Amino acid sequence: MAKIIIPIILCFVGIVSAQLSTDFYSTTCSDVLSTIKREIDSAVGNEARMGASILRLHFHDCFVQGCDASVLLDDTSSFTGEKTAGANANSLRGFDVIDTIKTELESLCPNTVSCADILSVAARDSVVALGGPSWTVQLGRRDSITASLSLANSDLPGPGSDLSGLITSFDNKGFTPKEMVALSGSHTIGQASCRFFRTRIYNDDNIDSSFATSLQANCPTTGGDDNLSPLDTTTPNTFDNSYFQNLQSQKGLFSSDQALFNGGSTDSDVDEYSSDSSSFATDFANAMVKMGNLNPITGSNGQIRTNCRVIN
C-alpha cells in the first residue's frame, strides 16, 4: 500500500505547492518538529479533547483564505478577525496551546517559524497523539496580515448542513465528495456543545430514538447550551473509524454528520470506511495533506508573526 500512497502525495504536493518543502526549517530551526510534538503530546495528555480542538482550529483556518493562521488573529479596536464568526464564536479552542508552542519556538529560533506552519504540524501531531494516522506536512507557509469575518461566516459548513451543502462547501475548496467524507471522519474525536445539535435530537427523524433520548438528558430544549456530548460516543478519545459505524446506526451527533449516510450519494463511502479502517486512515491523511496546501502564503508575502494573535 505504501508504494501507492507515497507517489500520490508527492505528485499532489509537487503540482500545487512547489514552494513548500519538507526540509524548510532544516538549517534555520532544526528542532521545530520535535518542539511542536512535545507540546502537543503534553496538551493532549492533559486533556484528550484538545487534540480535536487543535485539528478543528487548523480546518477553520484553512477553509478561510487558506492555511495562513488568519483564524488566530484577535480582534482589535480597528480590526475584526474570524473568532466571532458563527462557526467559531465561543467554540474554537486551543489558542493557548499554539501560543505556548510559538513562545518556545521564538526563544529557539526568533522570527523564523510561522504560526500557519505551527498549526499545520500541530493538527497532524494531535491526530497521531489520539491513535490516528500520520502524514508528511509540507512547510514554508507564512502568516497573513488580514482575516475575513465574512468569509468565515460563508465558507465554513455548519452542523445543520445537508449533503448538497456539504458537497458544495468542499467542492469550492477543491475537494471531492469522498474526500469530504474522509475529512468528516475527524468527528471520531472531540465534543460538541448542546446548542449545535439540539435541533437534531428533538426534530430529526433520521436518528436512533434511544440515542436521541440519551442526549436529551444532557441537552434540554432550553438552557444548557454549553453542555458537551462526544461526537463519537463509542470511542470519543480515539481516532478510529467508529464514527462511520455510528452513522450506519443513525447515531451521528450533527445533522451534517448523518447527512453523509442518509440514502444519498456518499452512503457507499461511509460503508467503505466503516468496514475498512486502513482505507479511512489513508484517505484521511491524503486529504489532510491536500487541505494543508490550500492557498499558502509563501516567499516574501505575508509575514512571520512573533505573536500569533496580532500582526507585527
Side-chain angles (χ1 to χ4, degrees):
M1 183 64 72
K3 292 181 180 179
I4 298 173
I5 296 169
I6 293 174
I8 291 174
I9 293 175
L10 292 179
C11 177
F12 174 85
V13 171
I15 292 173
V16 179
S17 300
Q19 296 182 76
L20 300 182
S21 66
T22 57
D23 59 352
F24 188 82
Y25 298 110
S26 60
T27 59
T28 57
C29 194
S30 58
D31 291 334
V32 59
L33 295 180
S34 60
T35 299
I36 295 173
K37 177 175 169 50
R38 182 174 63 252
E39 293 299 334
I40 289 298
D41 286 348
S42 175
V44 175
N46 288 333
E47 182 198 9
R49 183 188 175 202
M50 188 55 70
S53 297
I54 296 293
L55 177 59
R56 182 169 182 250
L57 201 55
H58 176 50
F59 166 61
H60 283 225
D61 178 38
C62 292
F63 256 54
V64 182
Q65 297 189 166
C67 304
D68 61 358
S70 61
V71 74
L72 303 179
L73 290 170
D74 284 340
D75 292 353
T76 68
S77 58
S78 60
F79 175 87
T80 301
E82 299 165 14
K83 291 182 177 180
T84 56
N88 296 339
N90 301 312
S91 68
L92 281 187
R93 306 170 70 245
F95 298 107
D96 53 336
V97 175
I98 302 302
D99 288 341
T100 297
I101 294 170
K102 179 61 174 174
T103 298
E104 187 166 350
L105 288 174
E106 281 299 307
S107 176
L108 288 172
C109 330
N111 306 308
T112 302
V113 182
S114 70
C115 301
D117 275 348
I118 291 172
L119 198 47
S120 297
V121 175
R124 187 269 313 274
D125 290 349
S126 292
V127 170
V128 173
L130 292 172
S134 185
W135 59 91
T136 300
V137 178
Q138 300 287 304
L139 300 168
R141 300 167 192 78
R142 289 169 65 84
D143 300 323
S144 68
I145 55 175
T146 62
S148 178
L149 178 63
S150 61
L151 286 179
N153 277 319
S154 65
D155 289 10
L156 291 166
S161 299
D162 60 15
L163 182 59
S164 175
L166 290 170
I167 289 174
T168 298
S169 292
F170 281 79
D171 177 68
N172 287 341
K173 304 299 178 183
F175 292 98
T176 67
K178 187 170 186 178
E179 288 171 330
M180 179 270 289
V181 175
L183 289 171
S184 296
S186 62
H187 285 182
T188 184
I189 53 175
Q191 301 181 57
S193 300
C194 165
R195 67 182 184 275
F196 291 125
F197 59 84
R198 176 184 284 121
T199 298
R200 168 159 169 73
I201 64 175
Y202 287 101
N203 297 295
D204 287 5
D205 56 12
N206 60 345
I207 186 170
D208 178 85
S209 58
S210 60
F211 178 64
T213 299
S214 68
L215 291 167
Q216 290 168 5
N218 192 44
C219 184
T221 54
T222 58
D225 281 4
D226 294 325
N227 291 352
L228 298 171
S229 290
L231 287 155
D232 169 6
T233 57
T234 308
T235 52
N237 295 323
T238 302
F239 196 99
D240 56 21
N241 68 332
S242 60
Y243 164 81
F244 299 105
Q245 296 165 1
N246 293 338
L247 297 185
Q248 291 176 315
S249 302
Q250 293 193 317
K251 294 179 180 179
L253 186 64
F254 293 156
S255 296
S256 59
D257 289 321
Q258 198 59 56
L260 304 180
F261 191 83
N262 194 42
S265 60
T266 55
D267 282 16
S268 59
D269 300 319
V270 172
D271 285 334
E272 177 187 342
Y273 294 149
S274 173
S275 62
D276 189 345
S277 59
S278 64
S279 175
F280 165 52
T282 295
D283 288 357
F284 179 82
N286 284 340
M288 286 299 295
V289 171
K290 187 171 179 177
M291 190 172 75
N293 287 301
L294 285 176
N295 301 317
I297 299 173
T298 58
S300 59
N301 297 316
Q303 62 182 215
I304 303 297
R305 288 186 222 139
T306 56
N307 177 340
C308 290
R309 295 173 181 263
V310 297
I311 297 164
N312 295 344

